[in-house]
Amino acid sequence: MELKDTAYIPLYLDYSTNNTELEDCKRSCLSTCSCKAAQFRFSDPANTMGNCLLLNQVFSLVNNDGALNKTTLFIKVQNSCNLQSSPLSEKKQKRVVTIVGSTIGASFGLLFMVLTCLAFVSRRRKGLEEAEEEEFLDHVPGMPTRFSFEELTVMTENFSKKLGEGGFGSVFEGTMSDDTKIAVKHLQGFGNVKKSFLAEVATIGSIQHVNLVRLVGFCAEKSHRLLVYEYMANVSLDKWIFRRKQEQFLTWDVRKKIISDIAKGLAYLHEDCNNKIIRLDIKPHNILLDHDFNAKVSDFGLSKLVGKDESKIVTAMRGTPGYLAPEWLNSVITEKVDVYSFGVVVLEIICGRKNLDRLQDEDDMHLLSLFKRKAKETQLLEMVDKNCEDMQLHREEAVEMMRIAAWCLQSDYTKRPSMSLVVKVLQGLVAAETDLDYSFPYPPMTRRDAEANQERELAVVGISLPVPSKLSGPR
């Protein structure tokens, strides 16, 4: 078979015969048994004479059109007219088919065995990791009760009474065998779910404090991850302070006690645990109220444990816009980020509104901006919740509480008080700082900015935060 302007790779070969004709090159290959192909390279302008190379190996083909020296390639093939079917050739073909089939079958069989072994090793490794994880949970001191998934399914009536959506799953109402109500958080999804589960269990499993939501138990069975909390009858704090139309408002004494309860819970986390615990996401949605309106800090999935000797930690940004301290921008934080968030929550409790409220006039949408302006105008009394008559009767006391909030909101975190100092101030044991800077770091927002921020309010880096709360259990 003749192929013009075609050559074998490599292009530059050592031609064995020089100054010969094209047909002589072709006949030389046909007469040589070992020759598989002949490559002829023209060496004169008339393309009549050239160099001949006989090849006994098969190389890759390349188009040589346009090259300085044209080439023609002859490939030796069997003449189709000489092909005769014979028993011998048929037998040979069958043998080839058998060999090829056996080779392919063996290859697939080997591949299947390798994949099976890899799957087995992967499952075994996963099983060992789960066993190590569960063994770790079993040996954590003071761990709460461990429930089976079947037990929790019965307690929650097959998870039929949904209380709301949490950051990593749904929360369901349940009842234990002794008629004790519980809130069961069923963690779902991937990514941080496992990490969050271990963080919550390891952090609050052995912690007992009246102002922290108690973890009753947990479930770590196969892929199931559930947390069982004490049931909080009066839902989360945001339900009581952000609703404009409601028959019952929290009185000043109740609000003052809630502020004190939050401060005590945070002071315990910061200073009285074996390891300092920074809550990282203090907001009304995460403050739950029991039947007697005792406030408890909940949901430690975002907590960061720090050794007592560590003054600062570096972590990814966590929390909710509006409650984040300015030092988050540097990613180096201390427990003072909780103090800042506490200051924002105190203002919201006293004013009965969100720190970012789109229903307000544009100048008043941002609570900290309004706080700064009213402090400068000495009109803080006007900020006290106007929807509650009892709050209006205690406006002077409420303003004093605002000054404690301002102390907690100082831009320089070293000038903020510790939570234990806040507790002492609330108890009347020490006086609050009076030399305060009201130049808070958050500038006023336009209505368009506020609307855009509202869409992002429940989503921050690495966190999927709850939809508007509907739950009586922990978030």
Side-chain angles (χ1 to χ4, degrees):
M1 180 171 63
E2 182 178 346
L3 300 174
K4 293 183 179 181
D5 297 321
T6 304
Y8 271 109
I9 299 175
L11 296 174
Y12 305 101
L13 300 170
D14 186 13
Y15 287 82
S16 57
T17 304
N18 298 322
N19 296 322
T20 184
E21 293 184 350
L22 181 66
E23 287 299 320
D24 290 339
C25 183
K26 176 180 178 181
R27 284 193 294 269
S28 295
C29 183
L30 289 173
S31 62
T32 304
C33 295
S34 62
C35 179
K36 299 292 190 300
Q39 182 165 302
F40 185 82
R41 182 178 65 183
F42 294 96
S43 59
D44 65 328
N47 290 334
T48 57
M49 303 294 290
N51 305 322
C52 181
L53 175 64
L54 302 183
L55 302 168
N56 55 10
Q57 297 181 16
V58 179
F59 299 92
S60 299
L61 295 176
V62 64
N63 189 334
N64 201 27
D65 186 22
L68 182 61
N69 296 107
K70 291 183 176 292
T71 59
T72 296
L73 185 67
F74 296 101
I75 301 176
K76 186 185 288 186
V77 295
Q78 190 173 7
N79 194 335
S80 60
C81 64
N82 293 329
L83 292 176
Q84 298 292 334
S85 177
S86 66
L88 183 61
S89 62
E90 291 181 0
K91 184 176 181 180
K92 186 176 181 180
Q93 290 177 2
K94 290 180 179 179
R95 186 168 58 189
V96 171
V97 171
T98 302
I99 293 173
V100 172
S102 300
T103 303
I104 295 175
S107 300
F108 276 107
L110 181 61
L111 179 62
F112 177 77
M113 291 177 61
V114 171
L115 293 178
T116 302
C117 291
L118 290 176
F120 174 77
V121 171
S122 177
R123 284 196 299 268
R124 181 175 176 81
R125 182 180 299 173
K126 184 177 180 181
L128 290 174
E129 289 177 353
E130 290 181 354
E132 290 176 358
E133 176 190 322
E134 295 189 4
E135 183 179 358
F136 162 77
L137 294 174
D138 287 336
H139 289 82
V140 175
M143 282 297 290
T145 304
R146 186 171 185 172
F147 296 97
S148 69
F149 183 72
E150 183 179 357
E151 288 175 323
L152 293 180
T153 300
V154 173
M155 293 179 189
T156 58
E157 297 180 6
N158 199 25
F159 302 98
S160 59
K161 299 179 181 179
K162 189 174 183 178
L163 298 174
E165 297 286 341
F168 293 99
S170 301
V171 181
F172 300 89
E173 180 182 332
T175 305
M176 300 179 68
S177 57
D178 60 356
D179 294 332
T180 300
K181 280 192 173 185
I182 54 175
V184 179
K185 179 189 289 186
H186 193 176
L187 302 180
Q188 298 171 336
F190 303 93
N192 289 332
V193 169
K194 189 174 184 179
K195 184 178 179 180
S196 171
F197 176 80
L198 293 176
E200 292 214 39
V201 173
T203 302
I204 65 172
S206 58
I207 293 177
Q208 300 292 329
H209 190 272
V210 67
N211 297 122
L212 300 176
V213 175
R214 183 169 60 91
L215 184 65
V216 177
F218 69 100
C219 173
E221 185 178 306
K222 296 182 180 179
S223 62
H224 300 299
R225 297 288 183 269
L226 299 98
L227 297 169
V228 183
Y229 289 97
E230 62 177 316
Y231 183 84
M232 303 296 285
N234 275 316
V235 301
S236 52
L237 178 59
D238 61 299
K239 291 291 187 180
W240 291 91
I241 61 175
F242 293 154
R243 286 186 176 178
R244 299 175 183 274
K245 296 180 180 180
Q246 59 184 32
E247 297 179 359
Q248 184 179 359
F249 290 91
L250 299 180
T251 64
W252 164 243
D253 287 338
V254 172
R255 299 190 198 207
K256 185 167 59 174
K257 184 179 185 307
I258 288 173
I259 292 171
S260 178
D261 287 345
I262 300 171
K264 290 176 182 177
L266 291 176
Y268 178 82
L269 292 175
H270 291 175
E271 301 178 25
D272 295 332
C273 294
N274 292 331
N275 288 309
K276 181 187 299 182
I277 300 173
I278 303 178
R279 178 59 186 78
L280 299 182
D281 194 27
I282 298 297
K283 58 182 179 180
H285 304 73
N286 290 332
I287 306 300
L288 305 183
L289 307 174
D290 67 10
H291 186 270
D292 297 318
F293 286 94
N294 295 306
K296 302 190 180 190
V297 180
S298 74
D299 198 350
F300 289 79
L302 303 178
S303 295
K304 181 74 178 180
L305 277 69
V306 185
K308 291 266 186 175
D309 57 341
E310 298 180 54
S311 60
K312 298 179 181 179
I313 63 172
V314 179
T315 185
M317 185 176 288
R318 300 176 179 181
T320 304
Y323 301 90
L324 296 173
E327 59 265 31
W328 273 109
L329 297 176
N330 301 322
S331 297
V332 179
I333 64 172
T334 68
E335 70 276 9
K336 293 299 181 69
V337 297
D338 283 350
V339 178
Y340 182 92
S341 301
F342 171 79
V344 177
V345 172
V346 170
L347 276 185
E348 291 180 324
I349 293 174
I350 295 173
C351 301
R353 53 157 289 183
K354 297 179 181 180
N355 68 79
L356 180 61
D357 190 349
R358 292 185 296 171
L359 298 178
Q360 301 289 336
D361 293 336
E362 188 164 313
D363 291 340
D364 299 340
M365 280 194 300
H366 203 292
L367 184 57
L368 296 189
S369 176
L370 177 63
F371 188 28
K372 174 183 177 180
R373 189 174 78 248
K374 292 298 183 181
K376 184 177 181 179
E377 298 171 353
T378 62
Q379 295 179 351
L380 291 177
L381 290 172
E382 296 182 4
M383 293 186 65
V384 179
D385 190 351
K386 298 180 178 62
N387 295 315
C388 179
E389 183 179 348
D390 187 69
M391 287 295 294
Q392 291 298 308
L393 295 176
H394 297 86
R395 289 195 304 170
E396 289 77 9
E397 294 178 69
V399 167
E400 290 302 315
M401 187 70 77
M402 285 186 192
R403 293 195 172 94
I404 297 176
W407 189 13
C408 296
L409 290 169
Q410 297 299 290
S411 300
D412 183 353
Y413 71 89
T414 62
K415 295 183 179 180
R416 297 174 204 152
S418 64
M419 289 310 305
S420 60
L421 181 56
V422 171
V423 171
K424 291 179 180 178
V425 171
L426 293 174
Q427 293 173 338
L429 301 178
V430 296
E433 177 63 56
T434 56
D435 183 16
L436 301 175
D437 179 12
Y438 284 83
S439 298
F440 304 117
Y442 288 96
M445 290 187 179
T446 65
R447 185 169 300 278
R448 179 177 297 180
D449 293 335
E451 291 174 353
N453 192 62
Q454 190 78 7
E455 297 297 326
R456 300 190 300 268
E457 187 178 16
L458 300 178
V460 295
V461 177
I463 306 172
S464 175
L465 293 171
V467 297
S469 64
K470 296 181 180 179
L471 70 152
S472 302
R475 302 182 62 81

